[in-house]
Coordinates of all heavy atoms in Angstrom, one line a residue:
M1 N 2.3 -14.2 -117.2 CA 3.1 -15.3 -117.2 C 2.4 -16.5 -116.6 O 3.0 -17.3 -115.9 CB 4.4 -15.0 -116.4 CG 5.2 -13.8 -116.9 SD 5.8 -14.0 -118.6 CE 7.0 -15.3 -118.4
I2 N 1.1 -16.6 -117.0 CA 0.3 -17.7 -116.4 C 0.9 -19.1 -116.8 O 0.8 -20.0 -116.0 CB -1.1 -17.5 -116.9 CG1 -1.7 -16.2 -116.3 CG2 -2.0 -18.7 -116.7 CD1 -3.1 -15.8 -116.8
G3 N 1.5 -19.2 -118.0 CA 2.0 -20.5 -118.4 C 3.2 -20.9 -117.5 O 3.6 -22.1 -117.5
D4 N 3.8 -20.0 -116.8 CA 4.9 -20.3 -115.9 C 4.3 -20.3 -114.4 O 5.1 -20.2 -113.5 CB 6.0 -19.3 -116.0 CG 6.8 -19.5 -117.3 OD1 7.3 -20.7 -117.5 OD2 6.9 -18.6 -118.1
R5 N 3.0 -20.3 -114.3 CA 2.3 -20.3 -113.0 C 2.6 -19.1 -112.2 O 2.7 -19.2 -110.9 CB 2.6 -21.6 -112.3 CG 2.2 -22.8 -113.0 CD 2.1 -24.1 -112.3 NE 3.3 -24.4 -111.4 CZ 3.8 -25.6 -111.2 NH1 3.2 -26.6 -111.7 NH2 4.8 -25.7 -110.4
I6 N 2.8 -18.0 -112.8 CA 2.9 -16.7 -112.1 C 1.6 -16.0 -112.4 O 1.2 -15.7 -113.5 CB 4.1 -15.8 -112.6 CG1 5.4 -16.6 -112.4 CG2 4.1 -14.5 -111.9 CD1 6.6 -15.9 -113.0
E7 N 0.8 -15.7 -111.3 CA -0.5 -15.2 -111.4 C -0.6 -13.8 -110.8 O 0.2 -13.5 -109.9 CB -1.5 -16.2 -110.7 CG -1.4 -17.6 -111.2 CD -2.6 -18.0 -112.1 OE1 -3.5 -17.2 -112.2 OE2 -2.5 -19.1 -112.7
P8 N -1.6 -13.0 -111.1 CA -1.8 -11.8 -110.5 C -1.9 -11.9 -108.9 O -2.6 -12.9 -108.5 CB -3.1 -11.2 -111.0 CG -3.3 -11.9 -112.4 CD -2.6 -13.3 -112.2
G9 N -1.2 -11.1 -108.2 CA -1.2 -11.2 -106.7 C -0.1 -11.9 -106.2 O 0.2 -11.9 -105.0
D10 N 0.7 -12.7 -107.0 CA 1.8 -13.4 -106.5 C 3.0 -12.4 -106.2 O 3.0 -11.3 -106.8 CB 2.3 -14.4 -107.6 CG 1.4 -15.6 -107.7 OD1 0.4 -15.8 -106.9 OD2 1.6 -16.4 -108.7
I11 N 3.9 -12.8 -105.4 CA 5.0 -12.0 -105.0 C 6.2 -12.6 -105.7 O 6.5 -13.8 -105.6 CB 5.2 -12.0 -103.5 CG1 4.0 -11.3 -102.8 CG2 6.5 -11.3 -103.1 CD1 4.0 -11.4 -101.3
L12 N 7.0 -11.8 -106.4 CA 8.2 -12.3 -107.1 C 9.4 -11.9 -106.3 O 9.6 -10.7 -105.9 CB 8.3 -11.7 -108.5 CG 7.1 -12.0 -109.4 CD1 7.3 -11.3 -110.8 CD2 6.8 -13.5 -109.5
I13 N 10.3 -12.8 -106.1 CA 11.6 -12.5 -105.5 C 12.6 -12.4 -106.7 O 12.7 -13.3 -107.5 CB 12.1 -13.6 -104.5 CG1 11.0 -13.9 -103.5 CG2 13.4 -13.3 -103.9 CD1 10.6 -12.7 -102.6
V14 N 13.3 -11.2 -106.7 CA 14.1 -10.9 -107.9 C 15.5 -10.7 -107.4 O 15.8 -10.0 -106.5 CB 13.6 -9.6 -108.6 CG1 14.4 -9.2 -109.8 CG2 12.1 -9.9 -109.0
D15 N 16.5 -11.3 -108.2 CA 17.9 -11.2 -107.9 C 18.6 -10.3 -109.0 O 18.6 -10.7 -110.1 CB 18.6 -12.5 -107.8 CG 20.0 -12.5 -107.3 OD1 20.6 -11.4 -107.3 OD2 20.5 -13.6 -106.8
S16 N 19.1 -9.2 -108.6 CA 19.7 -8.2 -109.5 C 21.1 -8.6 -109.8 O 21.7 -7.9 -110.6 CB 19.6 -6.8 -109.0 OG 20.3 -6.6 -107.8
Y17 N 21.6 -9.6 -109.2 CA 23.1 -10.0 -109.4 C 23.3 -10.8 -110.6 O 24.4 -10.8 -111.1 CB 23.6 -10.7 -108.1 CG 25.0 -11.0 -108.2 CD1 25.9 -10.0 -107.9 CD2 25.5 -12.3 -108.4 CE1 27.3 -10.2 -108.0 CE2 26.9 -12.5 -108.4 CZ 27.8 -11.5 -108.2 OH 29.1 -11.7 -108.3
Y18 N 22.3 -11.5 -111.1 CA 22.5 -12.3 -112.3 C 22.9 -11.5 -113.5 O 22.3 -10.5 -113.8 CB 21.1 -13.0 -112.7 CG 20.9 -14.3 -111.9 CD1 20.2 -14.2 -110.7 CD2 21.2 -15.5 -112.4 CE1 19.9 -15.4 -110.0 CE2 21.0 -16.6 -111.7 CZ 20.3 -16.6 -110.5 OH 20.1 -17.7 -109.8
E19 N 24.0 -11.9 -114.1 CA 24.5 -11.2 -115.3 C 23.9 -11.9 -116.6 O 23.7 -11.3 -117.6 CB 26.0 -11.2 -115.4 CG 26.6 -10.3 -114.3 CD 28.1 -10.2 -114.3 OE1 28.6 -10.4 -115.4 OE2 28.7 -9.9 -113.3
Q20 N 23.8 -13.2 -116.5 CA 23.2 -14.0 -117.7 C 21.7 -14.1 -117.6 O 21.2 -14.7 -116.7 CB 23.8 -15.4 -117.7 CG 23.3 -16.3 -118.8 CD 23.5 -15.7 -120.2 OE1 22.8 -14.9 -120.7 NE2 24.5 -16.2 -120.9
V21 N 21.0 -13.4 -118.4 CA 19.5 -13.3 -118.4 C 18.9 -14.1 -119.5 O 17.7 -14.2 -119.5 CB 19.0 -11.9 -118.3 CG1 19.5 -11.2 -117.0 CG2 19.4 -11.1 -119.5
D22 N 19.6 -14.5 -120.5 CA 19.0 -15.2 -121.7 C 18.3 -16.4 -121.3 O 18.8 -17.3 -120.6 CB 20.1 -15.5 -122.7 CG 19.5 -16.0 -124.0 OD1 18.5 -15.4 -124.5 OD2 20.0 -17.0 -124.6
G23 N 17.0 -16.5 -121.6 CA 16.2 -17.6 -121.3 C 15.5 -17.5 -119.9 O 14.7 -18.4 -119.6
R24 N 15.8 -16.5 -119.1 CA 15.3 -16.4 -117.8 C 14.1 -15.5 -117.8 O 13.9 -14.6 -118.6 CB 16.4 -15.8 -116.8 CG 17.6 -16.6 -116.7 CD 17.5 -17.6 -115.7 NE 18.7 -18.0 -115.1 CZ 18.8 -18.6 -114.0 NH1 17.8 -18.8 -113.3 NH2 20.0 -19.0 -113.5
I25 N 13.2 -15.7 -116.7 CA 12.1 -14.7 -116.5 C 12.7 -13.6 -115.7 O 13.4 -13.8 -114.7 CB 11.0 -15.4 -115.8 CG1 10.4 -16.5 -116.6 CG2 9.9 -14.4 -115.4 CD1 9.4 -17.4 -115.9
A26 N 12.4 -12.4 -116.1 CA 13.0 -11.2 -115.4 C 12.0 -10.1 -115.3 O 11.0 -10.1 -116.0 CB 14.2 -10.7 -116.2
V27 N 12.2 -9.2 -114.3 CA 11.4 -8.0 -114.2 C 12.2 -6.9 -115.0 O 13.4 -6.7 -114.7 CB 11.3 -7.6 -112.7 CG1 10.5 -6.3 -112.6 CG2 10.5 -8.7 -112.0
I28 N 11.6 -6.3 -115.9 CA 12.3 -5.3 -116.8 C 11.5 -4.0 -116.9 O 10.3 -4.0 -116.6 CB 12.6 -5.9 -118.2 CG1 11.2 -6.3 -118.9 CG2 13.4 -7.2 -118.1 CD1 11.0 -5.5 -120.0
S29 N 12.2 -3.0 -117.4 CA 11.5 -1.8 -117.7 C 11.8 -1.6 -119.2 O 12.9 -1.6 -119.7 CB 12.1 -0.6 -116.9 OG 11.6 0.6 -117.4
L30 N 10.7 -1.3 -120.0 CA 10.8 -1.0 -121.4 C 10.0 0.3 -121.7 O 8.8 0.3 -121.5 CB 10.3 -2.2 -122.2 CG 10.3 -2.0 -123.7 CD1 11.7 -1.8 -124.3 CD2 9.6 -3.1 -124.4
N31 N 10.7 1.3 -122.0 CA 10.1 2.6 -122.3 C 9.2 3.1 -121.2 O 8.1 3.6 -121.5 CB 9.4 2.5 -123.7 CG 10.3 2.2 -124.8 OD1 11.4 2.6 -124.8 ND2 9.8 1.4 -125.8
G32 N 9.6 2.9 -120.0 CA 8.8 3.3 -118.8 C 7.8 2.4 -118.3 O 7.2 2.6 -117.2
D33 N 7.6 1.3 -119.0 CA 6.6 0.3 -118.5 C 7.4 -0.9 -117.8 O 8.4 -1.4 -118.4 CB 5.8 -0.3 -119.7 CG 4.9 0.7 -120.3 OD1 4.3 1.6 -119.5 OD2 4.6 0.6 -121.5
N34 N 6.9 -1.3 -116.7 CA 7.5 -2.4 -116.0 C 6.8 -3.7 -116.4 O 5.6 -3.8 -116.4 CB 7.4 -2.3 -114.5 CG 8.2 -1.1 -114.0 OD1 9.3 -0.8 -114.5 ND2 7.7 -0.4 -113.0
L35 N 7.6 -4.7 -116.7 CA 7.0 -6.0 -117.3 C 7.7 -7.2 -116.6 O 8.9 -7.1 -116.2 CB 7.3 -6.1 -118.8 CG 6.8 -4.9 -119.6 CD1 7.4 -5.0 -121.0 CD2 5.3 -4.9 -119.7
V36 N 7.1 -8.3 -116.7 CA 7.7 -9.6 -116.3 C 7.6 -10.4 -117.6 O 6.5 -10.8 -118.1 CB 6.9 -10.3 -115.2 CG1 7.5 -11.7 -114.9 CG2 6.9 -9.4 -113.9
K37 N 8.8 -10.8 -118.1 CA 8.8 -11.5 -119.4 C 10.1 -12.4 -119.4 O 11.0 -12.2 -118.6 CB 9.0 -10.5 -120.6 CG 7.9 -9.6 -120.8 CD 6.6 -10.3 -121.3 CE 5.5 -9.3 -121.5 NZ 4.3 -9.9 -121.8
R38 N 10.0 -13.4 -120.2 CA 11.2 -14.2 -120.5 C 12.1 -13.5 -121.5 O 11.5 -13.1 -122.6 CB 10.8 -15.6 -120.9 CG 12.0 -16.6 -121.1 CD 11.5 -18.0 -121.4 NE 10.6 -18.5 -120.4 CZ 11.0 -19.1 -119.2 NH1 12.3 -19.1 -118.9 NH2 10.1 -19.6 -118.4
I39 N 13.3 -13.4 -121.3 CA 14.2 -12.7 -122.2 C 15.0 -13.7 -123.1 O 15.5 -14.7 -122.6 CB 15.3 -11.9 -121.4 CG1 14.5 -10.8 -120.5 CG2 16.3 -11.2 -122.3 CD1 15.5 -10.0 -119.6
R40 N 15.0 -13.4 -124.4 CA 15.8 -14.2 -125.3 C 16.6 -13.2 -126.1 O 16.2 -12.2 -126.6 CB 14.8 -14.9 -126.3 CG 14.1 -16.0 -125.7 CD 15.0 -17.2 -125.5 NE 14.2 -18.3 -125.0 CZ 14.7 -19.3 -124.3 NH1 15.9 -19.4 -124.1 NH2 13.9 -20.3 -123.9
Q41 N 17.9 -13.6 -126.3 CA 18.8 -12.8 -127.1 C 18.8 -13.4 -128.5 O 19.0 -14.6 -128.7 CB 20.2 -12.9 -126.5 CG 21.2 -12.0 -127.1 CD 21.0 -10.5 -126.8 OE1 20.6 -10.2 -125.6 NE2 21.1 -9.6 -127.7
A42 N 18.5 -12.6 -129.5 CA 18.4 -13.1 -130.9 C 19.4 -12.2 -131.7 O 19.0 -11.2 -132.3 CB 17.0 -12.9 -131.4
G43 N 20.7 -12.6 -131.7 CA 21.7 -11.8 -132.3 C 21.9 -10.5 -131.6 O 22.1 -10.4 -130.4
E44 N 21.7 -9.4 -132.3 CA 21.8 -8.0 -131.7 C 20.5 -7.6 -131.0 O 20.5 -6.6 -130.3 CB 22.2 -7.0 -132.7 CG 23.5 -7.2 -133.4 CD 24.6 -6.9 -132.3 OE1 24.5 -5.9 -131.6 OE2 25.6 -7.7 -132.3
M45 N 19.4 -8.3 -131.2 CA 18.1 -7.9 -130.7 C 17.7 -8.7 -129.5 O 18.1 -9.9 -129.4 CB 17.0 -8.1 -131.8 CG 15.7 -7.6 -131.4 SD 14.5 -7.5 -132.8 CE 15.2 -6.0 -133.6
V46 N 17.0 -8.1 -128.6 CA 16.4 -8.8 -127.5 C 14.9 -9.0 -127.7 O 14.2 -8.1 -128.2 CB 16.6 -7.9 -126.2 CG1 15.8 -8.5 -125.0 CG2 18.0 -7.7 -125.9
V47 N 14.4 -10.2 -127.4 CA 13.0 -10.5 -127.6 C 12.5 -10.8 -126.2 O 13.0 -11.6 -125.5 CB 12.8 -11.7 -128.6 CG1 11.4 -12.0 -128.8 CG2 13.5 -11.5 -129.9
L48 N 11.3 -10.2 -125.9 CA 10.6 -10.5 -124.6 C 9.4 -11.4 -124.9 O 8.6 -11.0 -125.7 CB 10.2 -9.1 -124.0 CG 11.3 -8.1 -123.8 CD1 10.7 -6.8 -123.3 CD2 12.4 -8.6 -122.9
L49 N 9.4 -12.5 -124.2 CA 8.3 -13.5 -124.5 C 7.4 -13.6 -123.3 O 7.9 -13.6 -122.1 CB 9.0 -14.8 -124.8 CG 10.0 -14.9 -126.0 CD1 10.7 -16.2 -126.0 CD2 9.2 -14.6 -127.2
S50 N 6.2 -13.8 -123.5 CA 5.2 -14.1 -122.5 C 4.9 -15.6 -122.5 O 5.0 -16.2 -123.6 CB 3.9 -13.3 -122.8 OG 2.9 -13.7 -121.8
S51 N 4.5 -16.1 -121.4 CA 4.1 -17.5 -121.4 C 2.6 -17.7 -121.6 O 2.1 -18.8 -121.5 CB 4.6 -18.2 -120.1 OG 3.9 -17.6 -119.0
N52 N 2.0 -16.6 -121.9 CA 0.5 -16.6 -122.2 C 0.4 -16.4 -123.7 O 0.9 -15.4 -124.3 CB -0.1 -15.4 -121.4 CG -1.6 -15.4 -121.6 OD1 -2.2 -15.9 -122.6 ND2 -2.3 -14.8 -120.7
D53 N -0.2 -17.4 -124.4 CA -0.3 -17.3 -125.8 C -1.1 -16.1 -126.4 O -1.1 -15.8 -127.5 CB -1.0 -18.6 -126.3 CG -0.1 -19.8 -126.1 OD1 1.2 -19.6 -126.1 OD2 -0.6 -20.9 -126.1
N54 N -1.8 -15.4 -125.5 CA -2.6 -14.2 -125.9 C -1.7 -13.0 -126.2 O -2.2 -12.0 -126.7 CB -3.7 -13.9 -124.9 CG -4.7 -14.9 -124.7 OD1 -5.1 -15.6 -125.7 ND2 -5.2 -15.2 -123.5
Y55 N -0.4 -13.1 -125.8 CA 0.5 -12.0 -126.0 C 1.6 -12.3 -127.0 O 2.2 -13.3 -126.9 CB 1.1 -11.5 -124.7 CG 0.1 -11.0 -123.7 CD1 -0.5 -11.9 -122.7 CD2 -0.4 -9.7 -123.7 CE1 -1.4 -11.4 -121.8 CE2 -1.3 -9.3 -122.8 CZ -1.8 -10.1 -121.9 OH -2.8 -9.7 -121.0
D56 N 1.8 -11.4 -127.9 CA 2.8 -11.5 -128.9 C 4.2 -11.2 -128.3 O 4.3 -10.4 -127.4 CB 2.6 -10.6 -130.1 CG 1.3 -11.0 -130.9 OD1 1.0 -12.2 -131.0 OD2 0.7 -10.1 -131.5
P57 N 5.3 -11.7 -129.0 CA 6.6 -11.3 -128.5 C 6.8 -9.8 -128.7 O 6.2 -9.2 -129.6 CB 7.5 -12.1 -129.4 CG 6.7 -13.2 -130.0 CD 5.3 -12.7 -130.0
I58 N 7.6 -9.3 -127.8 CA 8.0 -7.8 -127.9 C 9.5 -7.8 -128.3 O 10.3 -8.4 -127.7 CB 7.8 -7.1 -126.6 CG1 6.3 -7.2 -126.2 CG2 8.3 -5.7 -126.7 CD1 6.1 -6.7 -124.7
Y59 N 9.8 -7.1 -129.4 CA 11.1 -6.9 -129.9 C 11.7 -5.6 -129.4 O 11.1 -4.5 -129.7 CB 11.2 -7.0 -131.4 CG 10.7 -8.3 -131.9 CD1 9.3 -8.6 -132.2 CD2 11.6 -9.4 -132.1 CE1 8.9 -9.8 -132.6 CE2 11.1 -10.6 -132.5 CZ 9.8 -10.8 -132.8 OH 9.4 -12.1 -133.2
V60 N 12.8 -5.6 -128.7 CA 13.4 -4.4 -128.2 C 14.4 -3.9 -129.3 O 15.3 -4.6 -129.6 CB 14.2 -4.7 -126.9 CG1 14.8 -3.4 -126.3 CG2 13.2 -5.3 -125.8
H61 N 14.1 -2.7 -129.7 CA 15.0 -2.1 -130.8 C 16.0 -1.2 -130.2 O 15.8 -0.6 -129.1 CB 14.1 -1.4 -131.8 CG 13.0 -2.2 -132.4 ND1 13.4 -3.1 -133.5 CD2 11.7 -2.4 -132.2 CE1 12.3 -3.8 -133.8 NE2 11.3 -3.4 -133.0
K62 N 17.1 -1.0 -130.9 CA 18.1 -0.1 -130.5 C 17.6 1.3 -130.3 O 16.7 1.7 -131.1 CB 19.2 0.0 -131.6 CG 20.6 0.2 -131.2 CD 21.6 0.1 -132.3 CE 22.9 -0.3 -131.7 NZ 23.9 -0.6 -132.6
G63 N 18.0 1.9 -129.2 CA 17.5 3.3 -128.9 C 16.3 3.3 -128.0 O 16.0 4.3 -127.4
E64 N 15.7 2.1 -127.7 CA 14.6 2.1 -126.8 C 15.2 2.0 -125.4 O 16.3 1.5 -125.1 CB 13.7 0.9 -127.0 CG 12.9 1.0 -128.3 CD 11.9 -0.2 -128.4 OE1 12.3 -1.3 -128.7 OE2 10.7 0.1 -128.1
S65 N 14.4 2.6 -124.4 CA 14.8 2.5 -123.0 C 14.5 1.2 -122.5 O 13.3 0.8 -122.3 CB 14.0 3.6 -122.2 OG 14.3 3.5 -120.9
F66 N 15.6 0.4 -122.2 CA 15.4 -1.0 -121.7 C 16.4 -1.3 -120.6 O 17.5 -1.0 -120.6 CB 15.7 -2.0 -122.9 CG 15.8 -3.4 -122.5 CD1 14.6 -4.1 -122.2 CD2 16.9 -4.1 -122.4 CE1 14.6 -5.4 -121.9 CE2 17.0 -5.5 -122.1 CZ 15.8 -6.1 -121.8
R67 N 15.8 -1.8 -119.5 CA 16.6 -2.1 -118.3 C 16.1 -3.4 -117.6 O 14.9 -3.6 -117.5 CB 16.5 -1.0 -117.3 CG 17.3 -1.2 -116.1 CD 17.2 -0.1 -115.1 NE 17.9 -0.4 -113.9 CZ 17.6 0.1 -112.7 NH1 16.6 1.0 -112.6 NH2 18.2 -0.3 -111.6
V68 N 17.0 -4.3 -117.3 CA 16.7 -5.5 -116.5 C 16.9 -5.2 -115.0 O 18.0 -4.9 -114.6 CB 17.5 -6.7 -117.0 CG1 17.2 -7.9 -116.1 CG2 17.4 -7.0 -118.4
F69 N 15.8 -5.2 -114.3 CA 15.9 -5.0 -112.8 C 16.5 -6.2 -112.1 O 17.2 -6.1 -111.2 CB 14.6 -4.7 -112.2 CG 14.0 -3.3 -112.6 CD1 12.9 -3.2 -113.3 CD2 14.7 -2.2 -112.2 CE1 12.4 -1.9 -113.7 CE2 14.2 -0.9 -112.5 CZ 13.1 -0.8 -113.3
G70 N 16.1 -7.4 -112.6 CA 16.6 -8.7 -112.0 C 15.9 -9.9 -112.5 O 14.8 -9.8 -113.2
V71 N 16.5 -11.0 -112.2 CA 15.9 -12.3 -112.6 C 15.0 -12.8 -111.5 O 15.4 -12.8 -110.3 CB 17.1 -13.3 -112.9 CG1 16.6 -14.7 -113.1 CG2 17.9 -12.8 -114.1
V72 N 13.9 -13.4 -111.9 CA 13.0 -14.0 -110.9 C 13.6 -15.3 -110.4 O 13.8 -16.2 -111.2 CB 11.6 -14.2 -111.5 CG1 10.6 -14.9 -110.5 CG2 10.9 -12.9 -112.0
T73 N 13.8 -15.4 -109.1 CA 14.4 -16.6 -108.5 C 13.4 -17.4 -107.7 O 13.5 -18.6 -107.6 CB 15.6 -16.2 -107.6 OG1 15.2 -15.3 -106.6 CG2 16.7 -15.6 -108.5
W74 N 12.3 -16.7 -107.2 CA 11.3 -17.4 -106.4 C 10.0 -16.7 -106.7 O 9.9 -15.5 -106.9 CB 11.6 -17.3 -104.9 CG 12.7 -18.1 -104.5 CD1 14.0 -17.6 -104.4 CD2 12.8 -19.5 -104.1 NE1 14.9 -18.6 -103.9 CE2 14.1 -19.8 -103.8 CE3 11.8 -20.4 -104.0 CZ2 14.5 -21.0 -103.4 CZ3 12.2 -21.7 -103.6 CH2 13.5 -22.0 -103.3
V75 N 8.9 -17.5 -106.6 CA 7.5 -17.0 -106.7 C 6.8 -17.4 -105.5 O 6.7 -18.6 -105.2 CB 6.8 -17.5 -108.0 CG1 5.4 -17.0 -108.0 CG2 7.6 -17.2 -109.2
I76 N 6.3 -16.5 -104.7 CA 5.4 -16.8 -103.6 C 4.0 -16.6 -104.1 O 3.6 -15.5 -104.4 CB 5.7 -15.9 -102.4 CG1 7.2 -16.0 -102.0 CG2 4.8 -16.1 -101.3 CD1 7.6 -15.0 -101.0
Q77 N 3.3 -17.7 -104.1 CA 1.9 -17.7 -104.7 C 0.9 -17.3 -103.6 O 0.9 -17.7 -102.5 CB 1.5 -19.0 -105.3 CG 2.4 -19.4 -106.5 CD 2.0 -20.6 -107.2 OE1 1.5 -21.5 -106.5 NE2 2.1 -20.6 -108.5
K78 N 0.0 -16.4 -104.1 CA -1.1 -16.0 -103.3 C -2.1 -17.2 -103.1 O -2.3 -17.9 -104.0 CB -1.9 -14.8 -104.0 CG -3.1 -14.3 -103.3 CD -3.7 -13.2 -104.1 CE -5.0 -12.8 -103.5 NZ -5.7 -11.8 -104.3
P79 N -2.6 -17.4 -101.9 CA -3.5 -18.5 -101.6 C -4.7 -18.3 -102.6 O -5.2 -17.2 -102.7 CB -3.9 -18.3 -100.2 CG -2.8 -17.6 -99.5 CD -2.3 -16.6 -100.6
R80 N -5.2 -19.4 -103.1 CA -6.3 -19.3 -104.0 C -7.5 -20.1 -103.5 O -7.4 -21.0 -102.8 CB -5.9 -19.9 -105.4 CG -4.7 -19.1 -105.9 CD -4.5 -19.1 -107.3 NE -3.3 -18.5 -107.9 CZ -2.6 -17.5 -107.4 NH1 -2.8 -17.0 -106.3 NH2 -1.6 -17.0 -108.1

């Protein structure tokens, strides 16, 4: 999520209370992998977007194991 200034070593503060996640950066689990992605709702499908152009969108299909742990509300950046 380098395009959103989230770098390796940063600490993310996540709020699991948010019900509306469309357009937000969230910590999610997809098929057992933990990810930080921007969530977009596209009709019945969920699309996970990276802010790094080197990564393609991920389409979440029906039947896949998908869970939103929470929305990123704060980023504590590691001193550089």
Side-chain angles (χ1 to χ4, degrees):
M1 299 301 292
I2 292 173
D4 287 305
R5 299 193 315 212
I6 299 174
E7 307 254 351
D10 290 351
I11 297 171
L12 304 179
I13 307 300
V14 177
D15 190 338
S16 63
Y17 186 72
Y18 276 88
E19 291 184 24
Q20 177 60 280
V21 296
D22 188 41
R24 301 274 204 162
I25 296 172
V27 176
I28 60 113
S29 174
L30 178 62
N31 299 323
D33 293 326
N34 295 326
L35 307 167
V36 176
K37 297 289 181 188
R38 187 173 301 278
I39 298 176
R40 289 283 184 205
Q41 190 72 39
E44 295 291 317
M45 183 167 287
V46 174
V47 181
L48 305 177
L49 303 170
S50 175
S51 64
N52 184 337
D53 293 334
N54 293 325
Y55 295 96
D56 292 329
I58 299 170
Y59 298 90
V60 181
H61 300 281
K62 211 172 206 175
E64 289 188 283
S65 175
F66 175 72
R67 177 178 174 209
V68 177
F69 290 115
V71 170
V72 175
T73 55
W74 291 93
V75 177
I76 301 172
Q77 295 187 325
K78 179 180 175 184
R80 303 200 184 338

